[in-house]
């Protein structure tokens, strides 16, 4: 297991990098998904053994003891109660249901960094009844545990200087 940067180079001791693993437990790719397989099951330029390395999408760093410590996901995928979902899937569903309004979903973590629930920031004021109707209309599209537990109204969604959603601020 190593931590790598965007160019598949091993990162320094104090840097955050993506976890990559290799060994007999690593498969050669995803079943019937060669495009995705090619992007995450790779040979590393610094490994002369031609081993396959799996890029997990998890970001980590080395702690003071030299152990690898999880930091976050590289993408917007989250995990709740052992189940994974892309936050974008939830946002897309909500935006479709509250037509013309914006919805940004962020994870709510406990003190150890584990995602316990989701919060939706929306640009429309919703009553409890409307939130329940929204929840009911999402059943069958996403699992109930992925439906946001809180809806907070914001006048507008904050953005960074590069005009991307400022999820950290939310």
């Amino acid at each position: 297991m190593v931590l790598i940067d965007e160019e598949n180079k091993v990162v320094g001791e104090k840097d955050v990098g993506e976890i990559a693993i290799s060994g007999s437990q690593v498969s050669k790719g995803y079943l019937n998904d060669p495009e995705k397989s090619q992007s995450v099951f790779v040979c590393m330029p610094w490994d002369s053994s031609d081993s396959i390395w799996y890029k997990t999408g998890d970001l980590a760093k080395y702690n003071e003891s030299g152990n690898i410590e999880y930091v976050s996901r590289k993408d917007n995928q989250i995990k709740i109660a052992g189940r994974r979902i892309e936050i974008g899937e939830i946002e897309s569903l909500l935006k479709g249901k509250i037509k013309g309004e914006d919805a940004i979903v962020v994870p709510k973590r406990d003190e150890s960094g584990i995602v316990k629930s989701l919060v939706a920031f929306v640009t429309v004021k919703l009553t409890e009844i409307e939130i329940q109707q929204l929840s009911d209309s999402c059943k069958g599209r996403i699992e109930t545990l992925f439906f946001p537990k809180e809806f907070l109204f914001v006048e507008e969604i904050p953005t960074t200087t590069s005009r991307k959603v400022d999820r950290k601020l939310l």
Side-chain angles (χ1 to χ4, degrees):
M1 182 168 24
V2 296
L3 302 181
I4 57 172
D5 64 15
E6 292 292 324
E7 297 168 353
N8 294 338
K9 295 178 184 169
V10 177
V11 301
E13 289 180 18
K14 298 185 191 264
D15 297 325
V16 172
E18 181 178 3
I19 299 172
I21 58 174
S22 184
S24 60
Q25 76 281 7
V26 175
S27 74
K28 293 183 181 180
Y30 293 113
L31 182 64
N32 300 324
D33 197 343
E35 186 176 311
K36 186 173 181 184
S37 295
Q38 188 176 14
S39 69
V40 296
F41 290 92
V42 299
C43 291
M44 296 296 181
W46 41 262
D47 181 5
S48 60
S49 71
D50 291 331
S51 296
I52 300 293
W53 288 81
Y54 172 61
K55 296 166 55 172
T56 66
D58 293 317
L59 297 176
K61 64 180 180 177
Y62 292 99
N63 63 19
E64 301 80 36
S65 306
N67 296 316
I68 292 177
E69 187 175 292
Y70 175 83
V71 173
S72 66
R73 285 287 301 169
K74 185 176 173 184
D75 52 22
N76 283 328
Q77 188 179 89
I78 52 102
K79 182 176 177 181
I80 299 177
R83 307 294 304 266
R84 291 188 184 270
I85 191 169
E86 283 283 339
I87 286 180
E89 290 181 46
I90 303 165
E91 290 173 344
S92 179
L93 181 60
L94 293 177
K95 288 175 188 177
K97 300 287 184 186
I98 54 173
K99 296 173 178 49
E101 298 295 337
D102 213 346
I104 301 298
V105 176
V106 296
K108 189 171 191 177
R109 299 175 189 275
D110 67 12
E111 60 281 346
S112 62
I114 295 171
V115 177
K116 291 298 182 183
S117 64
L118 299 174
V119 178
F121 290 87
V122 295
T123 56
V124 61
K125 291 182 181 179
L126 298 170
T127 66
E128 289 298 318
I129 292 171
E130 290 170 322
I131 292 171
Q132 185 58 53
Q133 290 170 340
L134 183 59
S135 173
D136 292 344
S137 72
C138 289
K139 287 184 178 149
R141 304 281 311 275
I142 60 170
E143 293 180 54
T144 304
L145 75 116
F146 295 128
F147 189 80
K149 301 290 183 251
E150 293 178 68
F151 281 76
L152 301 175
F153 169 75
V154 291
E155 292 285 335
E156 63 182 47
I157 302 297
T159 57
T160 63
T161 55
S162 60
R163 302 180 61 94
K164 294 181 180 176
V165 172
D166 192 339
R167 291 178 185 278
K168 288 182 182 179
L169 183 60
L170 289 172

